[in-house]
Amino acid sequence: MILLAKDKKVNEQKDERSKLEKELFYEKKSAWDALREEKKMADKLGNDYREFIDNYKSEREIVDYAQKIAKKNGFVDIKDANPSTKKIYAINHSKNILLIELTNSPLEEGMRIIGSHIDSLRLDLKMSPVYEANPFLMINLHYYGGIKKYHWLNTPLAMHGVIFNKKGEKINVTIGEKEDEPVFVISDLLPHLEGAEGREKLAKDIIKGEDMDAIGATIPIEDKKIKERIKATFLKTMNDEYNITEHDFTSAELSLYPAIKSREVGIDYGMIGAPAHDDRICSYLGLEAMLKSESKKAKLLLWTDKEEIGSVGNTSMESMFLENIIEKIITLRKEKTTAKEVLQNSKALSADVTSGFDPKFADKMDPTNMNKPGFGVAVEKYTGAGGKSYGSDANAEYISWIREMLEEAKIPWQHGELGKVDQGGGGTIAYILAKYNMDIVDMGPPVLAMHSPFELVSKIDLYATFKAYKAFYEKK
Ligand code: MN
Ligand code: MN
């Protein structure tokens, strides 16, 4: 069909308008479009990531994984490092690890730091975790982190953790991850018995924290002289398997995690659904970026614990671990600087997930300041709640540097707030690293259904986030 002169003019005008738009308007673009040619690589990374999250859940397991990978890539335990060791790792109480790759330049010049957290939402066993409530042996739990309690009902749960027996020997426990192993479950009430009162319950009252106990056993032990025969079955089974007694639970760290493997979501396989993308995804991508980047700058990767309960405790971001290790390396290299100075001169990413836009809950977000799954890595200038309380607000100068880095590397990225103003809020480890006066900003993929047993992330955002972390380590 030929184009008529009249139509042509209209089109030219239209072009001119779009040119102006192009020049002046900010347009959020689909990362799928931007990275279409790299889809295979994104798929590959998604598969590798799934392998990781399907196999490593607790902080201890994740630290073990990192140690294994670190060693394989030539990193040396700080205890064995010498003044010329370039690749060092250090582990804090088995639940917190850092990897550092040094250069010949003085440490005083600062480092590139990517910090994330490896703890995730779960249900911890109490110190006295077993009681019989006929016809069941119940596992007494205390939830960890900000969960919607009802999410965890009728969800298969696997036990992960460690027990120290009377002799102080460490016993690793995993029950419920293999297909032929049993799982544990907190059963919900059937709808038939809910009644009007039950149906009108507030979400927070559907199950009380104290009632979140899981079924642990149901078959009474043969010996009828025993008073609590189902409890006896549970303890006997644990004893047969792990050689432990009831009292050994007091010196243990055991938790129930969703026994759910990752799956691809949508007919196009575009998303990955799994428990605890938050924040295993940024941790995994940070490590990948560290191993796959070429950098003239010293690189540091930090995996912290206890973020979900406010970064308190000796394995959290609030611990002195990071500072102490840097101090140790300075001493080792006989450099004339301090850990505080090194950290002050560093640039950092607080690598954590953010909320992704969900059309069903569109009213919770500001349409012009939100992150959409499939639109790339999200940069969050500030987090916090209310009037930005407890958010680390990154300097515009640093955002400008970050923006240049992302544009140079042609990485699709977006920016937004967690939700509407006064809708709620959240935080990360950013404000704690910011205490050292370093440049820091939050960056990670948007996630749907965060803190649920089946969180969703776009594969292309996962890939864009990896590229962003890599570019961060590599930028001059
Ligand atoms: Mn997080
Ligand atoms: Mn979280």
Side-chain angles (χ1 to χ4, degrees):
M1 197 192 284
I2 59 155
L3 194 62
L4 297 173
K6 199 175 142 200
D7 290 334
K8 202 176 170 186
K9 206 176 167 200
V10 171
N11 259 14
E12 272 165 10
Q13 268 178 4
K14 201 177 156 204
D15 274 346
E16 202 168 301
R17 265 208 311 273
S18 66
K19 191 178 159 234
L20 188 107
E21 256 181 42
K22 247 181 163 170
E23 276 175 16
L24 301 185
F25 286 35
Y26 163 68
E27 195 195 346
K28 213 167 189 159
K29 289 183 197 133
S30 162
W32 288 110
D33 286 337
L35 297 172
R36 201 163 288 277
E37 268 153 38
E38 292 168 62
K39 186 172 178 297
K40 269 204 179 122
M41 274 136 79
D43 285 338
K44 163 87 170 64
L45 186 66
N47 288 339
D48 293 347
Y49 167 64
R50 289 180 61 198
E51 173 92 28
F52 166 70
I53 53 173
D54 286 346
N55 288 295
Y56 303 92
K57 292 192 175 175
S58 73
E59 304 87 85
R60 288 170 189 271
E61 291 162 0
I62 294 171
V63 164
D64 284 349
Y65 167 83
Q67 183 182 20
K68 190 176 76 188
I69 298 292
K71 278 180 166 173
K72 215 173 110 186
N73 284 277
F75 286 79
V76 174
D77 191 321
I78 185 136
K79 291 176 199 128
D80 306 319
N82 61 50
S84 59
T85 309
K86 290 282 185 300
K87 292 169 152 188
I88 297 170
Y89 73 85
I91 294 174
N92 181 24
H93 296 292
S94 310
K95 294 188 279 187
N96 171 201
I97 187 168
L98 69 74
L99 270 65
I100 187 162
E101 196 174 330
L102 299 158
T103 63
N104 290 324
S105 314
L107 270 167
E108 196 191 333
E109 287 177 9
M111 302 177 292
R112 291 287 152 77
I113 301 172
I114 297 184
S116 59
H117 67 94
I118 52 172
D119 61 318
S120 64
L121 289 303
R122 59 176 192 247
L123 308 168
D124 289 339
L125 272 70
K126 291 189 182 183
M127 285 175 83
S128 274
V130 289
Y131 66 93
E132 183 166 317
N134 202 286
F136 303 111
L137 175 282
M138 302 301 291
I139 303 175
N140 206 345
L141 303 166
H142 195 142
Y143 67 94
Y144 174 93
I147 58 168
K148 279 181 164 178
K149 298 188 183 82
Y150 67 85
H151 277 165
W152 296 70
L153 301 176
N154 304 328
T155 297
L157 301 164
M159 193 183 290
H160 290 246
V162 293
I163 304 173
F164 288 88
N165 65 17
K166 212 172 166 179
K167 290 184 212 149
E169 294 158 344
K170 185 169 111 178
I171 300 146
N172 287 308
V173 175
T174 325
I175 308 168
E177 290 297 344
K178 296 196 187 108
E179 286 292 320
D180 59 352
E181 284 176 354
V183 292
F184 307 98
V185 71
I186 304 169
S187 52
D188 195 8
L189 180 68
L190 59 167
H192 315 64
L193 300 185
E194 223 176 12
E197 161 229 0
R199 278 190 295 277
E200 278 159 24
K201 267 188 180 171
L202 297 172
K204 72 176 175 58
D205 297 326
I206 289 171
I207 184 142
K208 297 282 186 198
E210 192 53 68
D211 295 333
M212 295 186 74
D213 294 345
I215 292 170
T218 50
I219 307 174
I221 211 160
E222 229 182 306
D223 185 350
K224 289 191 178 153
K225 281 182 291 203
I226 294 173
K227 233 165 103 193
E228 297 179 298
R229 290 166 63 205
I230 309 165
K231 177 171 163 178
T233 298
F234 185 88
L235 290 177
K236 176 79 170 53
T237 312
M238 288 299 278
N239 184 268
D240 289 347
E241 193 65 33
Y242 299 109
N243 197 21
I244 56 148
T245 66
E246 186 178 6
H247 201 190
D248 292 335
F249 285 115
T250 50
S251 47
E253 278 178 358
L254 294 168
S255 307
L256 299 187
Y257 290 85
I260 299 172
K261 297 267 187 245
S262 67
R263 298 294 297 267
E264 288 158 298
V265 176
I267 202 153
D268 54 1
Y269 302 80
M271 298 189 93
I272 299 170
H277 287 311
D278 177 13
D279 190 28
R280 292 186 297 170
I281 188 164
C282 299
S283 303
Y284 179 80
L285 298 175
L287 177 58
E288 286 298 296
M290 176 160 210
L291 299 176
K292 298 196 168 119
S293 56
E294 299 286 334
S295 179
K296 292 237 157 55
K297 291 266 175 198
K299 295 185 278 187
L300 190 142
L301 180 80
L302 178 65
W303 286 2
T304 65
D305 177 28
K306 300 282 184 281
E307 192 272 348
E308 296 293 2
I309 58 166
S311 293
V312 285
N314 60 2
T315 50
S316 76
M317 190 63 252
E318 284 284 10
S319 136
M320 299 296 283
F321 173 62
L322 170 67
E323 208 178 312
N324 290 348
I325 294 299
I326 293 171
E327 208 62 69
K328 226 177 200 174
I329 293 171
I330 291 168
T331 312
L332 195 67
R333 286 164 58 112
K334 298 191 178 68
E335 291 196 27
K336 286 196 174 55
T337 181
T338 62
K340 285 195 173 79
E341 190 166 35
V342 174
L343 290 168
Q344 169 163 278
N345 295 336
S346 295
K347 282 186 163 43
L349 293 181
S350 162
D352 208 340
V353 301
T354 187
S355 58
F357 170 71
D358 185 335
K360 302 190 301 300
F361 304 113
D363 63 320
K364 304 295 178 207
M365 291 198 171
D366 166 10
T368 48
N369 286 281
M370 61 170 190
N371 294 299
K372 280 158 83 173
F375 282 70
V377 62
V379 176
E380 208 131 86
K381 186 176 187 293
Y382 47 84
T383 55
K388 300 188 176 179
S389 290
Y390 296 99
S392 175
D393 198 343
N395 290 55
E397 287 87 342
Y398 189 45
I399 300 282
S400 164
W401 185 90
I402 291 282
R403 183 180 159 196
E404 192 185 291
M405 165 200 106
L406 293 163
E407 308 277 309
E408 264 173 11
K410 295 191 170 58
I411 295 161
W413 69 286
Q414 51 184 330
H415 53 84
E417 297 202 5
L418 195 65
K420 261 186 181 170
V421 174
D422 285 338
Q423 184 63 52
T428 63
I429 59 168
Y431 76 99
I432 309 167
L433 279 168
K435 284 200 297 197
Y436 291 108
N437 200 21
M438 64 181 73
D439 278 321
I440 184 155
V441 70
D442 280 296
M443 193 190 281
V447 161
L448 292 197
M450 199 201 294
H451 287 199
S452 81
F454 201 69
E455 304 179 343
L456 300 170
V457 73
S458 163
K459 277 187 192 173
I460 206 69
D461 295 342
L462 172 136
Y463 182 64
T465 302
F466 162 71
K467 284 176 74 98
Y469 293 171
K470 186 168 174 280
F472 171 75
Y473 276 138
E474 288 179 343
K475 183 168 164 63
K476 284 186 188 115

